[in-house]
Amino acid sequence: MVYLNDDIAHFDWEAALPLLSEQRREQTLKFKHLLGRKTCAAAYLLLCEALRKEYGITEKPIFEYGIHGKPFIIGYPDIHFNISHCREAVLCVVSSRPVGVDVESIRSYKDSLVEYTMNPQEIAKINQAPRPEVEFVRFWTMKEAVLKLSGEGISKDLKTVLTGQEQIETQVNMEKNYIYSIIYG
């Protein structure tokens, strides 16, 4: 299931601190900037909400990390989750199968970034779109979701990430200025 908080501006991260595991509280407090603290705490609380609603789990989840840094919940090997955040939103998806998600702010981009990350077909679609910045971010979230599904993260040639065979759910929220993509394994 998909859990989303797109009111980060009003999220009270200090009030959330007692609700976090000690592990997540330490992670949250490492962020120097307020936005990092808010999104770190908000993402964890979304995961807690999802675990409670979907699986009846009320204890605070503790993480271990795979070789590429993808987190998993200790004691629950059959529960898969993925988290992403941007300035406007925090996204968490829990599932009985592997999942990858990404949420990004809609923003302008540099042509050099497009050339570095997109293949010729993707570049053509971006250039032909009524809002090229939206199309760029849509492709970016799709690519990052695929890489987060595998646990690789951004470690390979981004031009070859999408094959066209993936079934990726993408949502564009122009009102709140973000796009997210979800892919299940």
Side-chain angles (χ1 to χ4, degrees), residues 3-4 23 26 30 64 84 100 102 107 115 137 163 167 171:
Y3 291 81
L4 177 73
Q23 179 191 48
E26 287 175 12
K30 286 181 183 178
E64 283 197 21
S84 183
D102 188 42
R107 62 196 179 285
E115 293 291 329
V137 174
T163 65
Q167 293 186 351
Q171 298 290 323

Side-chain angles (χ1 to χ4, degrees), residues 70 82-86 99-105 107 117-118 136-156 158 161-162 168 179-183:
K70 186 171 182 172
N82 208 224
I83 293 171
S84 183
H85 53 79
C86 65
V99 61
V101 304
D102 188 42
V103 61
E104 298 287 341
S105 305
R107 62 196 179 285
T117 60
M118 303 292 156
F136 171 75
V137 174
R138 187 180 73 80
F139 273 121
W140 182 271
T141 63
M142 292 168 62
K143 290 175 184 244
E144 194 161 338
V146 167
L147 292 171
K148 288 177 72 179
L149 170 68
S150 69
E152 294 175 80
I154 301 175
S155 63
K156 64 188 275 185
L158 292 174
V161 170
L162 300 177
I168 303 172
I179 298 173
Y180 71 78
S181 292
I182 303 168
I183 184 170

Side-chain angles (χ1 to χ4, degrees), residues 49-68:
E49 178 185 357
L51 293 173
R52 187 177 61 256
K53 287 182 176 178
E54 304 301 320
Y55 298 96
I57 298 170
T58 57
E59 70 258 18
K60 298 173 183 176
I62 305 298
F63 305 136
E64 283 197 21
Y65 298 88
I67 60 169
H68 297 291

Side-chain angles (χ1 to χ4, degrees), residues 74-88:
I74 295 175
Y76 297 96
D78 296 333
I79 298 176
H80 300 272
F81 76 98
N82 208 224
I83 293 171
S84 183
H85 53 79
C86 65
R87 184 173 284 296
E88 292 79 17

Side-chain angles (χ1 to χ4, degrees), residues 4-8 35 85-90 102-109 131-138 141 170-181:
L4 177 73
N5 178 344
D6 59 6
D7 189 20
I8 299 303
L35 182 61
H85 53 79
C86 65
R87 184 173 284 296
E88 292 79 17
V90 174
D102 188 42
V103 61
E104 298 287 341
S105 305
I106 299 170
R107 62 196 179 285
S108 62
Y109 59 87
R131 301 268 319 264
E133 72 280 10
V134 172
E135 191 68 1
F136 171 75
V137 174
R138 187 180 73 80
T141 63
T170 299
Q171 298 290 323
V172 178
N173 188 323
M174 295 300 291
E175 180 183 328
K176 294 207 173 181
N177 197 50
Y178 64 84
I179 298 173
Y180 71 78
S181 292

